[in-house]
Amino acid sequence: MIFDLILDEKAEKKRKTKGTNNDSIWMWYPNQRVAHLHRIKVQQSIERFRYIGYPGSFRQPVYHSYYRKHIVIDKDTVINWHGLGGRVRMNINGHEHDITTSTAVLTKGENTLLVSIDFSDTLPALHVDSDNKELLTGWLVSIDRNSWVSVESMKEFNDLSSDPLTGIEDEYVIKPDKIEESHNAHIDDDNIIIKKDGYVIIDFHYYEIGYVTFIAKGKGRINIYVGQSKEEVFNIAEEDFEQRQIDWKELTEDYEKITGCTHATKYVLIKASEYVELKDIRFNAYVTPVEYMGSFDCSDQELNDIWYMGCATVHSCMHDFFLDTIYRDSLPWALDGVGAMIASDAVFMDSKTRRQQIISQLMPHNSTKEDLGVVYLDFQLYTILGFECDYTATGDLEFLLKYKEDIYRTVDIYCEILDNRGFLSSENALGMSFFPDWGVNESHGPDVLGTPTYAQMIFMHVLEFVADVADKAGDKEKKSIYDDLAMSLRNNIINMFWDDERKLFINGFDRNGNVDNHVSIYAQAFGVLYDLVSDSDYKSIHKAMVETRKVRRNLSINFAWEMMAIAKLGQHEDVTNYLKDMILPIISSGDVRIHEDINFDKERTLSFYGRKFGKSLCHSVMGAAPVIGINYGIVGIVPDKDFNTFRYHPHKSQLEWIDAVIPANDGLVKIKQKQDMITVETVGEVCVRLIDCSTQEGKDIIDQEGVYIIRL
């Protein structure tokens, strides 16, 4: 089965014409394009959906900017300028041009240009074009006329016709895959006649954001309902639709093209009040252009399907950001985004989406503890983990240090609300709660209004990472402070929350300050990932993780971290069985994306949040789980903290063969395994550290391009 549209050779792609012009450039204040894209996403979701929950304080878009440049030219030169919106005032050498003017001649010699853009309702971007290439570089920008920084630009947006806020998605035209159900309708290939009160339900197979089009004539009215399930589109109660269904049309006797609204769509129901003739029914899907740089194939087709279904789920949610879902809320979330980033880097290595996701989640300038999460106290910890993910993938110190003050400020705010034991506690945080995921239940916890162990572990790791950032930035005092806090927290976690008799982590403290001795998945998983568990206790920890499945009602968005931990524990067979147990029923149901919440009793449900069709059947971080689980736990390869470096820990597989490709920022790792026979090929500047194995030459580090035979 093909899960991702871009892998379907039969799919018709409508290429977008992207303007290019090497003599011009769009520019804007750093991060403001992302802030405005975020604004647009929020506005679109408010229009599309009936119910949205989106807590958090984010960096806001601004609607004015000031640009300046000083240049010496050797001849008179024409310059043209435009704004994306608002009033654009160009001042050249002290002379301000009329706002209806957009061209001037710069005279030979020194020229000072100052541009003011205000009264805008969009990104206050500036477009400049000139034959003199020096006029396209070296611009500074400010939002207060006091602090000036270098402008931001993107090569995709240089021509005047290329709006920087226009999405970069390709558009695919999808034909119906099958008629799922019909009533009082005659179907002849691509031509459909629906009679009085009849209908057809069409399945397009792929589940994406897009719009349905068709040509129709007849009499009476047709109603068009789109959605992610057959049950949803067949629903007749308007208030049960998560997506606002406003598509209806009065028909005429002449054929006309009908275009629906942009929604998350796999199914469409077309219903006739009297009579309608339909043809050329199509679903036009918006898909972010990426390349499958990574791949996984093995002798077990079920595992192949699970991996590619995970990839397709992550890819479907890539629209400027890693959206939580395409269904609801269809917005970037810090927690969901980190897991999606890790999986995406194992397949697509898409830095643009990753960085836009991170930037979108930054808190406002001059943030206070009130901005931490508003509802979810651990929200911003995942934003910092996003920076770690980017640095691991790219090794780009410049990007990391560009945001060091934001990173420091976020961590310092968390430090302001630590209790007297050095723990993050809801009691000190204005009543904000923690959010492990939707799998938390009251009987087994942890208490989201208490002091959960897992959150201390994440904060400890964040402190360790930020200490490393401070070290790279040369901020010795900051490094010392964060190092000390991290070490103290590490010790306190072990002393307070490790149950030495059962050899596992307890939940933490409840909201009343009492010890919560219950065991949940979160503390075990993060304890393993952040090296709080010794190798000798791996078996007891894994046993505890498996035991939690007996009391959990549902599997939720920490599935990706659970997969990482199980893989690190060396429980390869459990990775395989767990993935099959939870995901094969979804594939069998006919769904092609991984749900945001999976019941342990395997029952397919559509309700969530107490709403009939509230559950998203395509959730980015849930799609990340099988990609990560298979790469880490079955192939055995994990990105190391050093740039372009991997740890490879192969094992004697029950699979007949494995063929995997893992992308790096500057190369690839290709692994072929047939039982105990393994070859590793590295392409580019990639380093592979071998664990419990070596090359035929006896090396345990591969740091030169080539093909190597591995001995277990």
Side-chain angles (χ1 to χ4, degrees):
M1 182 187 297
I2 300 174
F3 293 94
D4 197 323
L5 188 53
I6 69 172
L7 298 178
D8 188 345
E9 295 179 354
K10 297 179 181 178
E12 176 189 347
K13 181 163 74 170
K14 292 169 62 176
R15 287 193 175 274
K16 284 193 173 185
T17 302
K18 297 179 174 65
T20 57
N21 182 352
N22 293 329
D23 294 332
S24 68
I25 186 173
W26 278 104
M27 62 186 87
W28 52 85
Y29 190 85
N31 305 334
Q32 277 300 302
R33 176 178 173 272
V34 172
H36 279 272
L37 288 173
H38 197 183
R39 166 185 60 82
I40 291 168
K41 281 286 185 288
V42 172
Q43 291 171 342
Q44 289 174 340
S45 290
I46 291 171
E47 292 171 2
R48 280 178 58 197
F49 304 114
R50 278 194 166 79
Y51 312 101
I52 299 176
Y54 197 46
S57 296
F58 306 104
R59 194 144 301 176
Q60 294 296 301
V62 297
Y63 296 89
H64 64 275
S65 291
Y66 308 96
Y67 300 83
R68 75 180 187 193
K69 179 172 178 59
H70 182 78
I71 187 172
V72 179
I73 53 179
D74 57 9
K75 63 178 181 179
D76 290 357
T77 302
V78 175
I79 182 172
N80 302 297
W81 64 88
H82 295 85
L84 199 57
R87 179 178 64 157
V88 184
R89 293 179 292 154
M90 169 66 84
N91 185 302
I92 301 175
N93 298 328
H95 171 68
E96 184 167 312
H97 289 251
D98 190 279
I99 61 173
T100 57
T101 302
S102 60
T103 187
V105 177
L106 302 182
T107 58
K108 177 181 177 181
E110 292 192 18
N111 287 269
T112 299
L113 291 73
L114 180 63
V115 183
S116 302
I117 301 180
D118 54 17
F119 292 110
S120 177
D121 60 357
T122 186
L123 174 68
L126 173 66
H127 185 268
V128 172
D129 74 74
S130 176
D131 293 337
N132 187 332
K133 298 293 192 295
E134 291 185 27
L135 278 168
L136 309 181
T137 61
W139 284 83
L140 298 177
V141 63
S142 175
I143 55 176
D144 60 8
R145 286 183 286 199
N146 292 316
S147 176
W148 294 83
V149 296
S150 296
V151 297
E152 189 172 84
S153 63
M154 296 172 63
K155 62 182 180 181
E156 293 91 334
F157 306 108
N158 52 10
D159 189 79
L160 181 60
S161 63
S162 299
D163 184 339
L165 294 181
T166 300
I168 62 170
E169 293 100 334
D170 289 323
E171 193 172 320
Y172 283 79
V173 181
I174 306 172
K175 294 181 179 180
D177 182 57
K178 60 182 176 181
I179 303 297
E180 185 70 30
E181 188 176 318
S182 65
H183 171 70
N184 207 16
H186 174 72
I187 300 159
D188 181 13
D189 194 22
D190 209 21
N191 300 295
I192 299 175
I193 295 174
I194 308 176
K195 298 179 181 179
K196 184 177 177 63
D197 295 328
Y199 65 85
V200 293
I201 298 177
I202 296 170
D203 181 358
F204 291 104
H205 176 69
Y206 297 108
Y207 181 28
E208 305 286 352
I209 294 177
Y211 59 95
V212 173
T213 66
F214 53 86
I215 296 173
K217 71 175 182 179
K219 60 181 179 180
R221 169 185 288 192
I222 58 169
N223 289 89
I224 311 160
Y225 300 107
V226 299
Q228 61 180 353
S229 67
K230 182 180 74 173
E231 295 90 340
E232 179 190 9
V233 298
F234 197 68
N235 163 63
I236 60 173
E238 192 74 17
E239 66 273 11
D240 286 336
F241 283 111
E242 295 288 320
Q243 302 181 115
R244 299 181 190 276
Q245 302 284 349
I246 58 174
D247 296 339
W248 59 270
K249 180 72 178 177
E250 292 289 344
L251 298 168
T252 68
E253 295 181 355
D254 297 320
Y255 274 119
E256 62 179 309
K257 185 172 183 178
I258 296 175
T259 301
C261 291
T262 298
H263 279 318
T265 300
K266 185 177 188 289
Y267 296 89
V268 61
L269 181 147
I270 302 174
K271 184 177 182 180
S273 65
E274 297 293 333
Y275 174 87
V276 62
E277 295 181 21
L278 305 169
K279 62 181 181 179
D280 297 339
I281 302 172
R282 300 292 186 267
F283 173 44
N284 292 54
Y286 295 117
V287 179
T288 294
V290 293
E291 178 185 353
Y292 269 76
M293 298 174 64
S295 62
F296 171 80
D297 292 287
C298 72
S299 54
D300 185 336
Q301 187 57 44
E302 290 179 340
L303 280 178
N304 297 338
D305 286 347
I306 289 169
W307 192 85
Y308 280 99
M309 188 185 195
C311 296
T313 302
V314 173
H315 186 204
S316 289
C317 295
M318 293 170 64
H319 294 275
D320 294 321
F321 313 101
F322 289 105
L323 305 180
D324 60 338
T325 77
I326 58 175
Y327 180 66
R328 181 238 69 246
D329 304 299
S330 201
L331 291 167
W333 286 73
L335 188 160
D336 309 67
V338 177
M341 286 178 210
I342 295 170
S344 173
D345 286 340
V347 186
F348 311 121
M349 193 55 74
D350 180 14
S351 289
K352 185 181 303 176
T353 304
R354 184 196 321 111
R355 290 186 171 181
Q356 290 180 177
Q357 168 74 24
I358 295 166
I359 295 167
S360 75
Q361 301 302 288
L362 292 174
M363 291 193 294
H365 291 292
N366 303 315
S367 298
T368 65
K369 62 183 179 182
E370 285 82 1
D371 296 308
L372 262 185
V374 180
V375 176
Y376 300 139
L377 182 52
D378 39 354
F379 193 101
Q380 282 298 327
L381 293 177
Y382 292 96
T383 301
I384 307 301
L385 293 180
F387 281 106
E388 181 186 35
C389 181
D390 184 86
Y391 186 70
T392 299
T394 67
D396 187 349
L397 187 59
E398 181 180 353
F399 178 78
L400 185 63
L401 296 186
K402 179 179 179 180
Y403 294 97
K404 69 170 186 174
E405 296 302 330
D406 294 295
I407 294 170
Y408 293 163
R409 181 59 186 151
T410 300
V411 172
D412 291 345
I413 291 174
Y414 273 112
C415 290
E416 290 175 15
I417 60 172
L418 296 178
D419 65 17
N420 56 12
R421 296 161 298 198
F423 291 143
L424 288 176
S425 173
S426 178
E427 183 181 4
N428 287 7
L430 308 173
M432 289 184 278
S433 64
F434 293 93
F435 182 67
D437 67 12
W438 298 115
V440 173
N441 62 67
E442 291 184 4
S443 60
H444 289 86
D447 188 345
V448 297
L449 290 173
T451 307
T453 304
Y454 87 90
Q456 318 312 317
M457 293 171 168
I458 298 175
F459 185 49
M460 176 205 74
H461 181 72
V462 164
L463 286 167
E464 291 171 342
F465 168 67
V466 178
D468 190 46
V469 173
D471 184 43
K472 289 177 169 60
D475 298 331
K476 295 181 180 180
E477 185 176 349
K478 285 282 189 184
K479 171 179 167 49
S480 178
I481 291 171
Y482 298 140
D483 271 336
D484 290 346
L485 285 169
M487 182 58 70
S488 175
L489 189 51
R490 180 176 285 273
N491 292 333
N492 287 345
I493 290 170
I494 296 293
N495 293 335
M496 296 281 191
F497 303 135
W498 176 254
D499 185 327
D500 201 42
E501 182 177 341
R502 292 186 289 174
K503 303 296 182 184
L504 49 74
F505 285 104
I506 62 170
N507 276 344
F509 300 123
D510 66 18
R511 69 191 66 188
N512 298 315
N514 300 317
V515 174
D516 179 358
N517 282 307
H518 287 101
V519 180
S520 58
I521 186 64
Y522 314 106
Q524 317 314 316
F526 286 108
V528 170
L529 292 176
Y530 297 150
D531 298 320
L532 285 155
V533 179
S534 63
D535 294 359
S536 60
D537 295 322
Y538 273 15
K539 286 186 178 180
S540 62
I541 285 286
H542 180 248
K543 180 181 178 182
M545 293 175 73
V546 172
E547 287 295 316
T548 66
R549 300 173 201 170
K550 299 177 182 178
V551 297
R552 291 152 67 192
R553 293 188 294 267
N554 53 315
L555 181 65
S556 189
I557 55 179
N558 259 294
F559 191 21
W561 280 267
E562 192 174 352
M563 278 286 109
M564 290 183 223
I566 296 171
K568 186 172 180 179
L569 291 171
Q571 298 293 332
H572 318 294
E573 188 174 340
D574 189 30
V575 169
T576 299
N577 294 337
Y578 197 13
L579 286 173
K580 286 188 174 186
D581 200 32
M582 304 310 295
I583 296 179
L584 286 181
I586 297 176
I587 296 176
S588 298
S589 75
D591 291 330
V592 293
R593 301 291 182 264
I594 299 178
H595 306 173
E596 73 174 308
D597 189 81
I598 306 173
N599 291 346
F600 272 97
D601 62 10
K602 316 304 185 300
E603 180 185 0
R604 179 179 181 269
T605 59
L606 302 173
S607 62
F608 210 48
Y609 306 107
R611 303 196 300 270
K612 189 173 183 179
F613 300 110
K615 180 186 290 186
S616 167
L617 303 186
C618 175
H619 202 283
S620 60
V621 73
M622 292 297 281
V627 178
I628 294 169
I630 288 173
N631 276 30
Y632 289 22
I634 295 176
V635 180
I637 190 159
V638 180
D640 210 348
K641 62 180 181 179
D642 294 329
F643 166 60
N644 258 18
T645 302
F646 295 88
R647 285 178 286 115
Y648 179 44
H649 193 177
H651 60 280
K652 293 183 178 182
S653 176
Q654 295 181 345
L655 298 169
E656 292 181 14
W657 57 269
I658 296 172
D659 192 345
V661 178
I662 299 88
N665 196 61
D666 290 328
L668 297 169
V669 179
K670 300 179 181 180
I671 295 173
K672 293 182 182 292
Q673 179 173 0
K674 288 187 177 180
Q675 299 296 326
D676 297 344
M677 298 294 296
I678 303 172
T679 61
V680 173
E681 179 182 357
T682 57
V683 180
E685 298 180 6
V686 179
C687 177
V688 179
R689 293 173 176 151
L690 304 176
I691 311 298
D692 293 339
C693 62
S694 61
T695 67
Q696 200 170 37
E697 296 76 22
K699 298 173 60 176
D700 58 8
I701 295 179
I702 297 173
D703 55 7
Q704 292 185 341
E705 189 172 85
V707 179
Y708 300 86
I709 297 174
I710 304 301
R711 302 182 304 186
L712 289 174

